[in-house]
Amino acid sequence: MHAAAAALALAFACAPAAAHGMLVHPGPLAAARSAPAVRSYALIDHEIDSLRSPLAGASLCRGAPRGAVTPITLANGSPFTVTMAFSIGAQHIGPCAVEILDANDRTGASAVTITSVAGPRGCAVAPIAAFETDKLSPAASQCPGRLPPKLVTNDMCMFEWTFTVTNADKIKCTDCVLRWTWAGEHISTTNPEKYENCADVRVTVVGGSQSSGSNAAGSTTPTRPRRGSATTKSKAAAPTRAVTKTRPSQATTTTAASRPASAACDACRKSSGAPRQMACTSDATGFYACFADQPSREPVRMACAAGTSCVQAGDYIHCQ
């Protein structure tokens, strides 16, 4: 092992237990493996804690310079996927969110929240980060194929977070920043550990109007989504039929019988009849978002990235 890498690994091994978390890519796992696009990702093999540790100051986006720009497409009510990474054995509770900011904004005033997880859980624990991890063995053996690229400490697993986009119609920029935030409340709810990473994105909003901000000149051509992205415009990703708003009176009343009858819903049921969060399609080229907490909602089909196949992992899936 390179001397600097060995020193970093030793420092981690001797450090007190702490949560670590970071955004890796504003897209699915396959893209994160090939070209992670979070700002300052090049620090991953020699200054990793500047990416994944609690914020030491209040600078927006950790004060990191702009990086590679990733084109993304957002639509209200459609799924979008980001890839995050968390330390093994230190996946802690606390709310998290994804926001879109104007690239010229230095204060965060333009932030539009496109998803958030509130309450006592968050995106670092199940059901989003679904691996059962521990500190007794390296990440490579706990989540093979899911270590962040060039990671030398062998102590983090990547996870996809697929969520339903909200507030896309409020986005005023085209040249934008996607910001991921997480507040670790495992020690204190009144003084949480705060985490943040940013990725530079070029945003196309579909299904609604998008104002052209002062920084949007020359960006009038819609960006074509990548094949395999959760934002790909297809019948599966953006169903045209109305979705019923009927909801169960209690989450605990969800049963297989209360879900619509379809092949997609059949795939979303475990042998016990209970719904999965996600389920592979029969041809393994994609997967269904099962909406386990919304028993009257038809599952939405999404594609795995080109060159990958869907593998079922309990209530979740891997595209690998």
Side-chain angles (χ1 to χ4, degrees):
M1 181 184 289
H2 188 279
L8 182 59
L10 179 61
F12 174 81
C14 297
H20 290 299
M22 59 180 288
L23 176 73
V24 179
H25 189 77
L29 184 64
R33 287 193 185 108
S34 61
V38 70
R39 288 187 179 185
S40 298
Y41 189 82
L43 300 175
I44 192 75
D45 62 356
H46 62 283
E47 199 175 325
I48 185 173
D49 284 344
S50 66
L51 290 167
R52 69 178 189 177
S53 289
L55 297 174
S59 296
L60 186 71
C61 297
R62 294 181 177 264
R66 297 198 67 183
V69 176
T70 303
I72 65 173
T73 300
L74 300 173
N76 283 339
S78 291
F80 186 76
T81 299
V82 298
T83 300
M84 309 165 297
F86 296 104
S87 296
I88 56 176
Q91 296 169 17
H92 297 305
I93 63 172
C96 54
V98 177
E99 303 168 333
I100 300 294
L101 295 76
D102 190 300
N104 293 324
D105 182 3
R106 297 294 180 267
T107 66
S110 67
V112 174
T113 300
I114 60 172
T115 193
S116 62
V117 177
R121 301 195 70 79
C123 56
V125 293
I128 296 174
F131 287 111
E132 292 293 335
T133 57
D134 61 66
K135 299 179 182 179
L136 302 180
S137 58
S141 65
Q142 298 188 55
C143 54
R146 288 180 170 248
L147 273 67
K150 299 183 180 180
L151 179 73
V152 296
T153 52
N154 199 6
D155 66 337
M156 299 189 83
C157 296
M158 291 193 294
F159 302 89
E160 286 186 337
W161 178 13
T162 299
F163 53 83
T164 301
V165 173
T166 62
N167 297 322
D169 55 309
K170 298 179 181 178
I171 297 172
K172 305 301 182 183
C173 58
T174 298
D175 183 17
C176 311
V177 174
L178 182 147
R179 178 170 66 169
W180 172 82
T181 61
W182 173 41
E185 295 184 346
H186 52 290
I187 297 175
S188 170
T189 58
T190 57
N191 186 27
E193 294 180 341
K194 295 183 179 180
Y195 300 78
E196 176 182 295
N197 297 101
C198 292
D200 295 286
V201 293
R202 184 175 299 109
V203 177
T204 296
V205 173
V206 297
S209 61
Q210 179 185 27
S211 301
S212 297
S214 60
N215 61 337
S219 300
T220 57
T221 302
T223 302
R224 183 181 299 277
R226 298 182 303 277
R227 183 179 183 272
S229 168
T231 58
T232 301
K233 295 196 305 183
S234 67
K235 292 181 180 179
T240 57
R241 60 182 177 277
V243 176
T244 178
K245 295 183 179 180
T246 302
R247 299 180 63 88
S249 58
Q250 295 181 352
T252 55
T253 63
T254 299
T255 64
S258 64
R259 296 188 67 83
S262 70
C265 289
D266 288 342
C268 283
R269 295 187 184 100
K270 296 183 286 190
S271 59
S272 64
R276 294 185 172 102
Q277 295 289 340
M278 296 179 179
C280 292
T281 59
S282 59
D283 60 6
T285 61
F287 59 94
Y288 296 107
C290 295
F291 305 108
D293 62 337
Q294 301 179 53
S296 61
R297 185 171 182 180
E298 182 77 11
V300 171
R301 178 169 177 151
M302 290 178 274
C304 284
T308 67
S309 297
C310 184
V311 177
Q312 195 71 43
D315 288 350
Y316 295 84
I317 61 93
H318 299 167
C319 287
Q320 57 190 33

